[in-house]
Amino acid sequence: MAYRLIIFDFDGTLADSAGWMRGVFNDVARRYGFRGVSAEELEALRGQDTRALIATLGVPRWKLPFIAAHVRKLAARDAHRIPLFPGVEAMLERLQALGITLAVVSSNAEANIRRVLGPVGSARIRHYACGAGLFSKRAKFRKVLKAAGVRPHEVLSVGDEVRDIEAAAAEGIATAAVTWGYATEALLRSRAPTVVFTHLDELLRTVAA
């Protein structure tokens, strides 16, 4: 399939923010009154989807928007500490050279994403739909498709979580799950994405074929 548009998640897909998140997680838990966890427990939680994770940690659903806003503020403070995965900059350059429109749909803030991508990388992204809630990415996908003027079957969504797969599939968009981010490969495969990438260069080979 020749995709005209690729929509990327950001954290865990383009940005290697897992280490940073582990560093702030328990402080956020204390601030908002849910259960903190050890590093070993955090690793085990990678096998749970978002709904199960919220239940396991005892996070009240009404607090989620406040938690998300606070985490975005922390990410703005620490953007200089959050790296891109190796090869991301070259990948974005190659995709752009192929004439593919690039977009980001993320729960993070656009300003944070632009800082981590840098001026060159952020300029390669044509459309940003940021600040998505944990369960509201579907509307962000619709917004990007409308702005880009493409049909769902011309789009590939690339993400590292079950919610990325679910939101894109609900809009009729092909889904690529990446295993180098938050969720485990087993969990991602259980949701039957269109394709699973275990290495960044697999994405380029698939799209450029």
Side-chain angles (χ1 to χ4, degrees):
M1 178 65 200
Y3 296 110
R4 294 177 57 198
L5 171 68
I6 297 180
I7 302 176
F8 289 98
D9 172 53
F10 186 68
D11 291 288
T13 301
L14 298 180
D16 187 4
S17 50
W20 171 81
M21 190 65 210
R22 285 192 293 269
V24 302
F25 186 90
N26 284 333
D27 287 340
V28 175
R30 283 189 291 272
R31 182 184 180 98
Y32 288 96
F34 59 91
R35 187 169 69 84
V37 294
S38 66
E40 292 74 18
E41 286 178 293
L42 272 177
E43 182 61 25
L45 290 173
R46 294 180 62 231
Q48 296 187 12
D49 65 23
T50 304
R51 291 175 180 83
L53 178 63
I54 289 169
T56 298
L57 296 176
V59 183
R61 293 285 290 265
W62 66 269
K63 288 187 178 182
L64 290 175
F66 303 100
I67 295 169
H70 181 64
V71 171
R72 285 193 287 268
K73 288 181 181 178
L74 294 178
R77 180 195 69 188
D78 297 336
H80 62 287
R81 294 170 46 199
I82 300 173
L84 296 174
F85 284 105
V88 163
E89 292 171 294
M91 178 194 67
L92 296 178
E93 180 180 12
R94 176 62 177 150
L95 292 174
Q96 186 183 46
L98 290 170
I100 298 170
T101 300
L102 305 178
V104 167
V105 169
S106 173
S107 297
N108 209 332
E110 180 176 341
N112 296 345
I113 293 169
R114 286 181 176 274
R115 284 185 64 192
V116 176
L117 285 172
V120 175
S122 60
R124 299 191 193 283
I125 306 300
R126 180 78 58 83
H127 304 285
Y128 290 85
C130 302
L134 286 181
F135 304 108
S136 63
K137 276 197 167 184
R138 187 175 176 181
K140 299 291 187 181
F141 281 123
R142 286 198 299 269
K143 178 182 177 181
V144 169
L145 264 63
K146 182 177 180 180
V150 298
R151 293 169 293 181
H153 71 271
E154 299 173 309
V155 184
L156 179 67
S157 166
V158 183
D160 70 312
E161 293 186 61
V162 165
R163 64 193 182 109
D164 299 317
I165 299 170
E166 291 175 341
E171 291 300 311
I173 297 170
T175 56
V178 303
T179 62
W180 55 80
Y182 172 73
T184 63
E185 183 174 349
L187 176 60
L188 294 168
R189 288 188 182 277
S190 74
R191 299 311 197 270
T194 308
V195 64
V196 175
F197 296 132
T198 58
H199 300 285
L200 200 62
D201 57 359
E202 291 176 331
L203 192 160
L204 265 180
R205 288 200 303 269
T206 298
V207 172

